[in-house]
Amino acid sequence: MAVRNARKLKKITQILAEETGGKSYKAHKYSLDSDRSVLEYNEAEDHTFVWKKRGETEFLNDYKSLKDLAWLLADREEQVLTYFLDGSRHVYKVDDMAYSTSGGRSVIYPIIAGQVGVGICRRIDKKMSPEALTREIVISLPEIADANGKGGFFENLSNKLNASVELERIKQSGWLFATPIPYDIKRDDRKFEDRGTAKIQDLMIEREKEMVRSLVRKGQLNQDNYLVKDGSLEYRLTKSDKDDDKSFQTFKKNYEWVIGVSKSFNPEACFDKGKANPGLIAELPLYHRTPAAYFGSEKEPLAFAVWYVRIRDKSRTRTPFDGILKVEKILVRDDEIKNGMESDTIDRLTALLINERNPTCYGTDKRWANHLYPIHLTERFVKSQYLSSESFLHLF
């Protein structure tokens, strides 16, 4: 009985130390999340996506009002925005662990763990309901944790973590450990905590892409059923997507009926006649959009139409950028890549997005002015599945 009870008390960090040959220092555990500003001056895009030309078929020199079209579509109760996707993660530093280097020194690295949730809600006859959900616990370790570099090490480690008695109490809620992800330990200006967090963020994005692929395989996305993703579509492609044209074309086709809507954006990434012009966004009148720009990348063979729309009255918000959304669409067809996205399609989708702004979630979220209500509901659905911080950290 004593042996059994001792096994029950074994924490995840103890299992990690035993399996990786590290020494746990039982360090203070704390959240690595923080409230994000609506302005993201250093976006993950690393400024690799650059303005190239006009991103739509109509030549616009100024803002375009979509108020009348939005009201018309509302009167018709027209709606093609059917699915709403949100991914989120709660990330923590759960331990400091020492590993011996090849030179015989002992170096301490942080152990990063997070809860990752990705969900889709579907709207039918004005009613929202959950469509899909995935959730998992992800640990990011320094790459030195796999001292021998043998294949399958981290996969075997996840099996042992999922077999741990400590996890039994939350398995019924659907939580399991994903395969741990190593972060690189080369010395540079990046913090190890940021490297581990980035790995967990990358996994969340992959889960989002998998959900989109699943809807496409089931034939659920089409011109009458778009998916609205919370956040950017500026994905980094896999090596196979870049090297294999069939894989690349399949990737693009998956996003034919998907638009990305970002509440956070870098105003310096707005270009006017080839030059950065954040004022073009700040001065957007209510229910107007900017001209769509064509963005390409030096690193990724993707092209986007990108534009901005104001959904809240500037006089009722804190900053000139509150109430503005950045909208993205991957250009799929050859004619889109050559001539830009159809302006009529941009107008229609933007007007529909304007109609999603009410009711607000005022008072429950600092980002209320930038929220679309179905996205807000989807985000609440995903986050409602999380373990409390206390329950999560108790695992470690």
Side-chain angles (χ1 to χ4, degrees), residues 118 136 200-213 235-238 241 251 255:
V118 178
E136 53 201 325
I200 294 173
Q201 175 75 12
D202 288 344
L203 182 134
M204 184 195 79
I205 291 172
E206 286 304 312
R207 296 296 183 260
E208 291 179 349
K209 291 160 69 175
E210 289 169 6
M211 279 204 171
V212 173
R213 286 197 295 269
Y235 295 134
R236 285 176 171 80
L237 301 176
T238 64
D241 288 334
F251 175 89
Y255 291 87

Side-chain angles (χ1 to χ4, degrees), residues 116-132:
V116 171
V118 178
I120 293 177
C121 286
R122 182 183 185 185
R123 180 170 52 201
I124 303 176
D125 297 330
K126 300 182 182 179
K127 294 182 179 180
M128 294 279 289
S129 60
E131 174 72 17

Side-chain angles (χ1 to χ4, degrees), residues 9-14 16 24 26-33 90-96 111-115 137-139 166-167 169-170 175 177 386-396:
L9 294 174
K10 186 176 290 187
K11 299 293 185 181
I12 298 302
T13 47
Q14 291 177 268
L16 293 175
S24 170
K26 301 178 177 60
H28 173 63
K29 304 174 179 66
Y30 56 87
S31 172
L32 293 175
D33 295 325
H90 289 175
V91 184
Y92 309 82
K93 177 188 170 184
V94 296
D95 202 2
D96 284 320
I111 306 301
I112 310 301
Q115 303 180 68
I137 299 171
V138 190
I139 297 175
E166 184 62 35
L167 189 65
R169 62 187 175 85
I170 63 170
W175 288 97
F177 282 94
Y386 279 132
L387 301 168
S388 68
S389 294
E390 292 77 12
S391 293
F392 182 75
L393 293 176
H394 186 69
L395 293 171
F396 298 88

Side-chain angles (χ1 to χ4, degrees), residues 176-236:
L176 288 173
F177 282 94
T179 300
I181 310 171
Y183 63 79
D184 75 80
I185 57 175
K186 297 174 183 176
R187 291 290 177 180
D188 55 36
D189 293 335
R190 296 173 299 156
K191 294 181 179 179
F192 292 133
E193 288 91 343
D194 292 342
R195 302 183 199 193
T197 299
K199 290 293 184 181
I200 294 173
Q201 175 75 12
D202 288 344
L203 182 134
M204 184 195 79
I205 291 172
E206 286 304 312
R207 296 296 183 260
E208 291 179 349
K209 291 160 69 175
E210 289 169 6
M211 279 204 171
V212 173
R213 286 197 295 269
S214 177
L215 288 181
V216 172
R217 284 196 297 267
K218 296 174 184 176
Q220 292 176 256
L221 298 185
N222 51 54
Q223 62 184 1
D224 297 318
N225 294 281
Y226 274 78
L227 180 143
V228 181
K229 177 193 174 295
D230 183 28
S232 176
L233 295 178
E234 294 170 8
Y235 295 134
R236 285 176 171 80

Side-chain angles (χ1 to χ4, degrees), residues 266-281:
N266 181 357
E268 291 294 330
C270 178
F271 288 84
D272 180 23
K273 297 181 175 63
K275 297 181 179 180
N277 184 5
L280 183 68
I281 309 174

Side-chain angles (χ1 to χ4, degrees), residues 23-136:
K23 178 182 178 181
S24 170
Y25 280 86
K26 301 178 177 60
H28 173 63
K29 304 174 179 66
Y30 56 87
S31 172
L32 293 175
D33 295 325
S34 61
D35 291 336
R36 299 179 66 187
S37 166
V38 173
L39 303 187
E40 293 295 332
Y41 293 100
N42 294 296
E43 289 183 304
E45 60 185 297
D46 294 329
H47 303 289
T48 58
F49 287 89
V50 295
W51 183 91
K52 290 189 174 181
K53 59 183 180 181
R54 187 175 75 251
E56 59 181 302
T57 53
E58 182 181 344
F59 186 81
L60 293 179
N61 278 323
D62 204 352
Y63 308 119
K64 188 172 188 178
S65 174
L66 295 171
K67 179 179 179 180
D68 291 342
L69 179 58
W71 271 222
L72 176 64
L73 296 179
D75 288 340
R76 292 179 182 171
E77 297 188 351
E78 183 171 334
Q79 190 54 263
V80 299
L81 307 182
T82 305
Y83 298 94
F84 303 88
L85 183 153
D86 179 74
S88 71
R89 79 287 190 287
H90 289 175
V91 184
Y92 309 82
K93 177 188 170 184
V94 296
D95 202 2
D96 284 320
M97 201 163 288
Y99 291 96
S100 297
T101 67
S102 57
R105 295 188 306 115
S106 181
V107 181
I108 298 176
Y109 298 98
I111 306 301
I112 310 301
Q115 303 180 68
V116 171
V118 178
I120 293 177
C121 286
R122 182 183 185 185
R123 180 170 52 201
I124 303 176
D125 297 330
K126 300 182 182 179
K127 294 182 179 180
M128 294 279 289
S129 60
E131 174 72 17
L133 174 70
T134 181
R135 48 192 167 165
E136 53 201 325

Side-chain angles (χ1 to χ4, degrees), residues 8 12 153 243 248 349 374 376 387:
K8 284 187 177 181
I12 298 302
F153 173 81
D243 295 344
F248 176 58
L349 291 175
H376 172 64
L387 301 168

